[in-house]
């Protein structure tokens, strides 16, 4: 799941909330489609992940749905994880508005490109979750 949003106007906490709500909603719909009723625990956890980006800043997130029982404060819980916000490119004064993609000719140099951020995003998206298909 790749969430593209105008992250310029969102704080890091708002980005996290946006990601959690999106992943939670998708997983609850999938669980209910598989016959799990509200108030029940899942026999097998459902897991999804997402990347929230404005084209420059990336936040990677993962959510594991273990239960649809929300009345108790103990026992089985659902889990969410979020990375810190990482820049794929350096923001420059010449860029007024971040673009989600640009055409780059072969051999062109990408100024301010973060190899480390790109490797992290690629590893995150290519890593399979154990035991189930992703949403």
């Amino acid at each position: 799941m790749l969430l593209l949003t105008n992250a310029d106007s969102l704080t890091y906490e708002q980005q996290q909330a946006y990601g959690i709500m999106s992943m939670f909603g998708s997983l609850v719909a999938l669980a209910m489609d598989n016959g799990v009723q509200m108030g029940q625990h899942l026999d097998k956890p459902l897991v999804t992940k997402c990347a929230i980006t404005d084209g420059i800043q990336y936040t990677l997130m993962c959510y594991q749905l273990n239960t649809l029982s929300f009345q108790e404060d103990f026992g089985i819980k659902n889990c969410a994880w979020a990375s810190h916000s990482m820049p794929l490119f350096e923001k420059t004064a010449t860029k007024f508005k971040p673009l989600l993609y640009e055409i780059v000719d072969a051999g062109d140099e990408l100024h301010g490109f973060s190899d480390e951020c790109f490797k992290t995003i690629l590893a995150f998206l290519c890593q399979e979750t154990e035991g189930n298909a992703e949403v």
Side-chain angles (χ1 to χ4, degrees):
M1 174 184 297
L2 181 63
L3 300 175
L4 302 175
T5 182
N6 183 3
D8 285 342
S9 61
L10 299 179
T11 66
Y12 175 69
E13 291 78 14
Q14 288 171 325
Q15 289 177 18
Q16 284 183 318
Y18 185 78
I20 288 171
M21 287 187 306
S22 297
M23 292 184 295
F24 175 77
S26 295
L27 290 176
V28 167
L30 182 60
M32 293 182 79
D33 191 47
N34 290 336
V36 181
Q37 299 294 315
M38 284 299 203
Q40 293 181 333
H41 300 303
L42 280 69
D43 293 332
K44 184 176 176 184
L46 296 174
V47 180
T48 192
K49 51 190 172 181
C50 74
I52 300 175
T53 183
D54 66 354
I56 295 176
Q57 292 291 128
Y58 280 78
T59 302
L60 307 176
M61 301 185 72
C62 186
Y63 195 96
Q64 179 174 319
L65 186 73
N66 298 308
T67 185
L68 293 182
S69 178
F70 307 117
Q71 281 77 28
E72 56 220 27
D73 291 334
F74 54 88
I76 298 174
K77 300 289 182 205
N78 297 319
C79 303
W81 170 87
S83 72
H84 59 279
S85 187
M86 303 173 287
L88 184 59
F89 295 97
E90 290 179 14
K91 287 187 179 181
T92 62
T94 59
K95 280 200 171 196
F96 299 108
K97 181 179 173 188
L99 300 174
L100 294 178
Y101 67 91
E102 294 183 36
I103 297 173
V104 179
D105 292 327
D108 283 356
E109 185 177 335
L110 295 174
H111 298 285
F113 182 77
S114 171
D115 287 334
E116 193 61 35
C117 179
F118 180 75
K119 288 176 186 176
T120 302
I121 293 167
L122 188 60
F124 176 77
L125 294 177
C126 290
Q127 179 67 40
E128 291 186 31
T129 56
E130 284 189 31
N132 67 59
E134 292 181 33
V135 174

